[in-house]
Amino acid sequence: MSVTTEKKNFTQELIASFDLSKFKQDSEQRKKALAAFQSLGLPEGKSEEYKFTPITKLLAKQFKAEELYTSPTPAVSDVSALIPKAFQENCVVFVNGVYNPALSQLAAGSKVVIKPFQEAMATHASVISEKLNEIKDNNDPFALLNAAMWQDGLFIHVPKNTSGEKPLFIYHLHDANASKVTSHTRLMVVVEQSAEFSIVERTDSLGKNTIFNTINEEILVDENASFSYCKIQNDSGDLIHVSNTTVHQKKSSRADTYTFSLDGKLIRNNLNIIIDGEGCESHFYGLYLTDGDTLVDNHTVVDHKQPNSFSNELYKGLMDGKSKGVFNGKIFVRPHAQKTNAFQSNRNILLSDDATINTKPQLEIWADDVKCSHGCTTGQLDDEALFYLQSRGIPKATAKAMLLYAFAGEVLEAIKDENLKQYIDSIVSERLHKSF
Amino acid sequence: MSKDNQVLEEFTSKEYEHGWTIDLESDSAPKGLNEDIIRFISAKKSEPEWLLEWRLKAYRHWTTMKEPKWPNVHYPEINFQDIIYYSAPKQKVVPKSLDEVDPELIATFKKLGISLTEQKRLTGIAVDAVIDSVSVATTFKEKLGELGIIFCSFSEAVREHPELVKKYLGSVVPPNDNYYAALNSAVFTDGSFCYIPKGVKCPMELSTYFRINAANTGQFERTLIVAEEASYVSYLEGCTAPMRDENQLHAAVVELYAMKSAEIKYSTVQNWYPGDKNGKGGIYNFVTKRGICAGDHSKISWTQVETGSSITWKYPSCILKGDYSSGEFYSVAVTNNYQQADTGTKMIHIGKHTRSRIVSKGISAGKSQNSYRGQVHILKRAENARNFSQCDSLLMGDQCGAHTFPYIDVENKSAHVEHEATTSKIGEDQIFYCQQRGIDEEAAVALIVNGYAKEVLKQLPMEFAVEAQKLLALTLEGSVG
């Protein structure tokens, strides 16, 4: 049997094994997504968007088709040790993709509505359908797969003029001690006019069995609103993860996103930022520190649809061991989005002989009065800087960690929330010192 | 209308200069493509059996291939059966010297501004002129022959130096490399062949002029340059075509082969007919160009000024196989009206200490789309490889587009790869600065565009730089003296 037919069959089997009748709510949407997924299929080796990320091959190797959308939920009694103190007062916990109310704790007296998605579909039906219409469909095969198969999720509604709320910590825990785990989670965030809110999301895993997890995030930032979103991916287990995040920004809004990828088997982050209003500001930062045979693939798109906006992107990577880094950053400036300023920078350091990086910064500009640039570098640690530190009596390993920490520092510095900065700083420093 | 809009307006309405045709009686094959046509071409050119087999193999492979859809260009499907694959200006006998060449042909080249005889006297460039499918004249052959340099038409090379052709043909661009390379391998009709022996520095610029004259024809030429150890050659290529309403296909293959310490410099000024103001007609320029730095310390440098063609699809590339070898790519691509260009380069670093440098300057005006697509690939064993890429785009007018698709793949940690790209229009502050110094707006635009492209233009050989500047002056028309 040829490779292509094998893959096709895997997509077919996957669709065949899926039972829509299980889901009472939202079945029309699911049907639509499934049909779209069916025509697209799982990405093949030649697919431009998944050229360096052999995710289908890996999935077909690790999973049977029917295992890809369901798995048992084990009982987890306590996660408090895993959640940083600063965020324990306002946190939501998902275990194997299912919302766990017992482990979650929401801040009292908050104006923000935080509900499991299933429940919100009944209580906030009109808001959800209205806002979903505004958000562009995502045509990534895994976004469609998620849209058809999501089991649970979260709906977050930040009413007008809300500010001063505690950041929400979302903790996705996968317990793969007993068996392989699959989960598809959905998240929707609506930040209404002039409101402010921030979310910290962390994925984590227990056990050594393979985990397949997709997360779809639809975020709408309304006029004058401000939103900050931080993802921390540091799974020690065998995790295959695809996240699809769409941030839709309206007039004069601001969005900051941070993506930290430290561990896992294969991580793919699709981040789409749609600037659909004048005077928007968007900052997105990424840091990937990979080792072993980890593959981290960041695909970002910023789509300037309206004039007078600003976007700035900075992604940095350190690749060690046999790990692979993939970066693709697209900047679109649509025909009438004049006076757009869009900047992008991607810097990489390869630390070992077997590490690789594939990067593709991409500019597509249809407006003339714009300032857009992208820069991208790949290199290794500066020998002279290392020598300088050593000549001052600093051991090589420490010196190396210092230089790498300084390299990562540019991204860490961009975090505004002090608690969050400290938390991530501790994870990154621990990681860098562990390596050397 | 502001002054710089006027400049743009003039540029946009400027007619194509080389749009005339001359009635040259031509000898053509019937339309369409099949094995018989290939046999016909091969027989016409009295080719040896092995070359016919080579063509047929390429053709059979081509029939299994699909037209590439990935470039960022849009055009109606090409009917490959509606093209004449062989068209030769009729000549009774093969000319021995320039005096015997059809006077109409000479007139054609005079019109192009490359009078073959004058060229011979004045500038000292050896020219090989290719009209439609056939090379019509090569100058300076004897003088070059004294140094052991072979510079002749491809058909002649097949006749006179079959061993060299057989050895290097398809060694850099294999016949099954891509769709258009396969098509070219099956039906190529002529082109230039150049061989520089060991240790020889070619004393003059070698040059080829390509001209599509007949209607409904495609032009499929092949250029092969082999530079032996420690030799040097600088090669120029220029092209024009008449104005016709239908699109014409040009699918060429260029192969460069550089041995140890050899250097090849290849410059192109491409000015195929770009189509009219409304995007009607024009040449589809689908070209495969690739060079291999096979030996240590060898160097290949591509310089291109792309102003013509309705669609350009072209990636002059370097395979840096030898240790310490280096590759360069300098490009200015100007698109206007409805032109589309998807051009760039590939630098494949295989050898140790290999270096490459990419400078690409795109200028888009009117309703055109201009894309840079490039790849820098550092393979695992390429220790201490170095690359610097810069690709800038300048947008003139609010209806055009500029796109960049750079692929950077690094598999060796000692590599130093830098890439930067910017997109902007001519800054108001830049114009203001010039005006403040007493330079009027038009001259300021000219100055800035000129400065913008200078990094590439200065790479061109002197003789060509003049022509390139003239071409680029289209952009500056009405603003410089």
Side-chain angles (χ1 to χ4, degrees):
Chain A
M1 199 196 286
S2 82
V3 182
T4 31
T5 48
E6 239 172 69
K7 268 178 209 151
K8 257 193 199 120
N9 287 349
F10 194 66
T11 306
Q12 297 304 330
E13 277 172 37
L14 189 59
I15 290 159
S17 66
F18 182 58
D19 181 12
L20 270 178
S21 64
K22 282 201 321 186
F23 301 99
K24 286 174 195 70
Q25 285 173 309
D26 204 24
S27 59
E28 277 311 306
Q29 294 292 333
R30 286 175 192 271
K31 248 186 229 162
K32 217 178 95 191
L34 193 66
F37 173 73
Q38 197 160 9
S39 65
L40 213 61
L42 288 167
E44 289 184 42
K46 277 195 174 164
S47 150
E48 178 68 22
E49 294 300 310
Y50 285 84
K51 203 171 169 183
F52 303 107
T53 308
I55 186 163
T56 306
K57 224 167 106 188
L58 195 63
L59 285 175
K61 199 174 134 199
Q62 300 284 358
F63 289 95
K64 287 195 195 88
E66 64 270 20
E67 289 174 334
L68 276 188
Y69 65 93
T70 175
S71 54
T73 312
V76 176
S77 53
D78 189 17
V79 291
S80 56
L82 301 168
I83 295 174
K85 281 234 159 49
F87 299 105
Q88 278 181 358
E89 286 168 29
N90 200 22
C91 67
V92 169
V93 178
F94 284 85
V95 178
N96 288 6
V98 176
Y99 176 62
N100 191 322
L103 300 175
S104 306
Q105 187 182 359
L106 294 174
S110 167
K111 280 192 268 178
V112 180
V113 177
I114 299 169
K115 276 189 175 176
F117 207 90
Q118 313 270 23
E119 201 183 312
M121 283 180 82
T123 58
H124 288 73
S126 63
V127 182
I128 291 177
S129 67
E130 182 199 331
K131 300 295 180 191
L132 273 183
N133 277 336
E134 292 183 27
I135 293 169
K136 194 182 123 205
D137 284 341
N138 190 332
N139 281 323
D140 178 79
F142 294 97
L144 294 168
L145 186 73
N146 181 293
M149 299 181 178
W150 63 276
Q151 303 136 323
D152 207 344
L154 209 62
F155 171 74
I156 298 162
H157 186 251
V158 188
K160 257 189 195 175
N161 301 325
T162 310
S163 67
E165 293 281 338
K166 285 202 175 81
L168 177 70
F169 193 86
I170 303 175
Y171 192 66
H172 297 279
L173 181 68
H174 290 101
D175 183 348
N177 275 315
S179 65
K180 288 178 194 165
V181 174
T182 305
S183 76
H184 303 287
T185 315
R186 174 177 192 180
L187 209 74
M188 184 171 174
V189 184
V190 178
V191 187
E192 297 275 12
Q193 269 178 44
S194 307
E196 272 179 43
F197 196 59
S198 68
I199 291 178
V200 181
E201 183 191 68
R202 175 164 180 176
T203 54
D204 214 340
S205 51
L206 307 168
K208 289 288 163 212
N209 285 305
T210 311
I211 301 158
F212 174 54
N213 165 240
T214 70
I215 300 184
N216 268 20
E217 286 147 342
E218 291 138 319
I219 297 160
L220 195 111
V221 188
D222 216 323
E223 282 179 26
N224 273 323
S226 165
F227 180 66
S228 150
Y229 195 68
C230 177
K231 266 177 197 294
I232 304 155
Q233 299 160 329
N234 193 16
D235 293 68
S236 49
D238 201 12
L239 172 80
I240 302 167
H241 172 85
V242 184
S243 79
N244 274 286
T245 310
T246 304
V247 182
H248 193 105
Q249 281 187 255
K250 295 235 198 139
K251 200 176 151 192
S252 304
S253 62
R254 180 185 169 120
D256 300 85
T257 51
Y258 309 90
T259 310
F260 296 91
S261 312
L262 294 105
D263 209 350
K265 171 85 182 158
L266 187 153
I267 294 173
R268 163 68 176 240
N269 296 313
N270 294 318
L271 174 64
N272 302 310
I273 293 174
I274 294 149
I275 297 197
D276 194 15
E278 288 196 42
C280 289
E281 208 177 306
S282 196
H283 297 261
F284 40 122
Y285 300 93
L287 181 67
Y288 39 103
L289 309 175
T290 59
D291 200 352
D293 60 352
T294 299
L295 188 157
V296 173
D297 178 352
N298 278 300
H299 269 57
T300 67
V301 177
V302 54
D303 191 349
H304 284 270
K305 290 189 157 170
Q306 301 293 337
N308 287 315
S309 288
F310 172 86
S311 70
N312 183 30
E313 176 173 13
L314 173 67
Y315 270 68
K316 291 186 130 184
L318 287 168
M319 270 68 57
D320 203 351
K322 284 185 176 163
S323 68
K324 279 184 82 164
V326 180
F327 174 79
N328 175 233
K330 295 189 183 81
I331 298 178
F332 294 109
V333 181
R334 302 288 169 189
H336 62 281
Q338 300 290 3
K339 307 268 180 205
T340 290
N341 284 353
F343 305 106
Q344 183 191 83
S345 178
N346 173 234
R347 306 220 181 104
N348 302 289
I349 289 185
L350 295 181
L351 294 166
S352 78
D353 292 336
D354 294 315
T356 59
I357 173 77
N358 303 97
T359 154
K360 184 188 171 198
Q362 185 176 333
L363 294 178
E364 298 214 36
I365 319 279
W366 286 273
D368 66 332
D369 192 5
V370 298
K371 280 197 185 120
C372 294
S373 70
H374 66 83
C376 150
T377 58
T378 300
Q380 55 184 344
L381 279 184
D382 186 355
D383 282 338
E384 279 180 34
L386 203 60
F387 176 77
Y388 177 86
L389 290 174
Q390 283 182 278
S391 74
R392 295 291 182 276
I394 297 164
K396 194 172 180 182
T398 317
K400 228 172 159 180
M402 275 169 79
L403 288 173
L404 294 177
Y405 178 76
F407 178 81
E410 201 182 344
V411 177
L412 297 175
E413 281 301 310
I415 303 170
K416 276 178 278 169
D417 184 316
E418 274 308 316
N419 287 331
L420 183 58
K421 196 189 275 184
Q422 269 175 29
Y423 175 52
I424 292 172
D425 196 299
S426 67
I427 298 174
V428 171
S429 316
E430 184 194 336
R431 172 57 199 283
L432 289 177
H433 282 97
K434 192 179 77 186
S435 314
F436 302 99
Chain B
M1 202 194 304
S2 80
K3 265 193 182 164
D4 71 332
N5 277 348
Q6 261 175 40
V7 178
L8 286 182
E9 192 67 17
E10 270 174 60
F11 167 44
T12 356
S13 53
K14 172 90 181 168
E15 293 271 326
Y16 184 66
E17 274 185 306
H18 300 282
W20 40 268
T21 56
I22 270 193
D23 270 332
L24 289 169
E25 249 193 290
S26 65
D27 186 6
S28 320
K31 269 186 189 176
L33 181 57
N34 52 48
E35 293 200 5
D36 288 340
I37 291 283
I38 292 166
R39 289 203 169 88
F40 170 86
I41 295 170
S42 191
K44 267 275 171 207
K45 310 195 75 70
S46 339
E47 281 175 2
E49 190 60 31
W50 65 265
L51 192 53
L52 175 63
E53 274 313 309
W54 195 80
R55 286 172 180 276
L56 289 172
K57 212 174 137 197
Y59 172 73
R60 283 168 202 144
H61 191 85
W62 178 75
T63 54
T64 65
M65 293 170 100
K66 278 201 192 108
E67 219 180 313
K69 291 282 177 229
W70 50 263
N72 189 24
V73 294
H74 305 278
Y75 54 91
E77 201 133 320
I78 298 171
N79 183 356
F80 288 96
Q81 296 306 334
D82 199 32
I83 295 172
I84 296 170
Y85 286 88
Y86 180 81
S87 170
K90 226 174 217 169
Q91 280 178 344
K92 287 176 192 80
V93 280
V94 182
K96 293 233 163 44
S97 77
L98 268 182
D99 309 333
E100 286 172 40
V101 174
D102 190 341
E104 289 263 350
L105 273 178
I106 302 279
T108 307
F109 281 97
K110 264 214 178 96
K111 264 193 128 168
L112 280 170
I114 39 160
S115 152
L116 297 177
T117 40
E118 259 171 49
Q119 196 106 30
K120 196 170 167 181
R121 273 200 309 274
L122 297 172
T123 55
I125 301 176
V127 179
D128 179 26
V130 178
I131 287 202
D132 291 339
S133 304
V134 185
S135 168
V136 290
T138 310
T139 58
F140 272 107
K141 225 155 105 184
E142 279 154 34
K143 199 172 168 201
L144 292 169
E146 285 165 22
L147 291 166
I149 296 171
I150 303 167
F151 178 47
C152 61
S153 75
F154 209 89
S155 332
E156 198 180 327
V158 172
R159 280 194 307 273
E160 312 280 328
H161 311 282
E163 70 301 334
L164 286 175
V165 175
K166 204 171 173 177
K167 186 168 171 196
Y168 292 107
L169 179 68
S171 62
V172 187
V173 180
N176 56 1
D177 187 73
N178 68 62
Y179 191 78
Y180 293 105
L183 178 65
N184 174 288
S185 302
V187 302
F188 75 90
T189 37
D190 214 331
S192 296
F193 175 79
C194 174
Y195 176 84
I196 317 289
K198 192 170 165 180
V200 173
K201 300 249 180 289
C202 185
M204 60 181 86
E205 312 279 345
L206 303 184
S207 147
T208 306
Y209 265 85
F210 295 107
R211 169 101 185 146
I212 298 180
N213 201 53
N216 296 321
T217 52
Q219 178 147 326
F220 306 93
E221 81 276 353
R222 236 187 140 91
T223 305
L224 175 57
I225 300 175
V226 180
E228 286 284 2
E229 200 176 315
S231 64
Y232 168 84
V233 63
S234 168
Y235 194 92
L236 322 172
E237 174 198 80
C239 12
T240 59
M243 280 155 77
R244 294 190 191 280
D245 280 350
E246 72 275 11
N247 298 104
Q248 284 180 291
L249 179 64
H250 172 248
V253 171
V254 175
E255 298 176 279
L256 311 182
Y257 206 103
M259 309 289 186
K260 192 177 166 192
S261 303
E263 180 176 348
I264 302 175
K265 189 173 164 66
Y266 196 103
S267 316
T268 308
V269 172
Q270 187 261 101
N271 187 23
W272 294 116
Y273 176 52
D276 68 7
K277 274 211 303 273
N278 304 314
K280 198 165 183 200
I283 304 288
Y284 291 166
N285 190 28
F286 299 156
V287 180
T288 310
K289 293 187 171 183
R290 193 177 301 152
I292 182 165
C293 288
D296 296 351
H297 299 277
S298 54
K299 179 176 176 182
I300 288 176
S301 170
W302 297 98
T303 307
Q304 58 172 25
V305 176
E306 300 279 321
T307 59
S309 298
S310 75
I311 298 175
T312 303
W313 181 95
K314 168 178 175 186
Y315 313 95
S317 311
C318 297
I319 301 168
L320 304 169
K321 196 174 156 210
D323 293 348
Y324 297 94
S325 61
S326 64
E328 287 175 350
F329 174 78
Y330 296 95
S331 163
V332 173
V334 187
T335 54
N336 193 5
N337 296 327
Y338 285 88
Q339 276 178 275
Q340 303 174 54
D342 192 313
T343 182
T345 184
K346 263 188 183 183
M347 294 289 172
I348 313 289
H349 292 254
I350 302 171
K352 296 186 173 85
H353 309 282
T354 46
R355 282 172 300 142
S356 64
R357 183 182 171 86
I358 299 169
V359 177
S360 163
K361 304 271 181 181
I363 301 169
S364 10
K367 296 192 165 111
S368 66
Q369 300 294 331
N370 200 335
S371 307
Y372 167 83
R373 186 186 301 275
Q375 187 188 23
V376 175
H377 192 168
I378 313 281
L379 272 80
K380 206 167 157 59
R381 63 167 287 250
E383 289 288 328
N384 290 319
R386 184 87 175 82
N387 161 271
F388 173 76
S389 316
Q390 185 183 348
C391 40
D392 296 334
S393 311
L394 195 64
L395 291 156
M396 300 177 117
D398 53 6
Q399 293 180 60
C400 49
H403 316 269
T404 354
F405 306 90
Y407 293 76
I408 297 142
D409 303 316
V410 183
E411 289 163 28
N412 187 300
K413 69 167 179 180
S414 62
H416 257 269
V417 180
E418 289 167 85
H419 173 97
E420 56 184 55
T422 61
T423 302
S424 56
K425 71 167 199 170
I426 296 176
E428 280 160 26
D429 50 342
Q430 290 171 322
I431 291 179
F432 178 74
Y433 180 86
C434 291
Q435 284 182 305
Q436 197 197 23
R437 295 290 182 279
I439 300 166
D440 71 39
E441 194 175 2
E442 272 182 40
V445 171
L447 187 76
I448 294 161
V449 172
N450 214 339
Y452 171 76
K454 196 173 178 186
E455 207 178 338
V456 174
L457 294 180
K458 75 175 184 205
Q459 297 296 329
L460 287 171
M462 227 277 283
E463 294 84 349
F464 238 32
V466 181
E467 189 182 331
Q469 258 160 20
K470 246 200 302 188
L471 263 179
L472 212 82
L474 284 177
T475 341
L476 319 171
E477 183 95 336
S479 55
V480 263

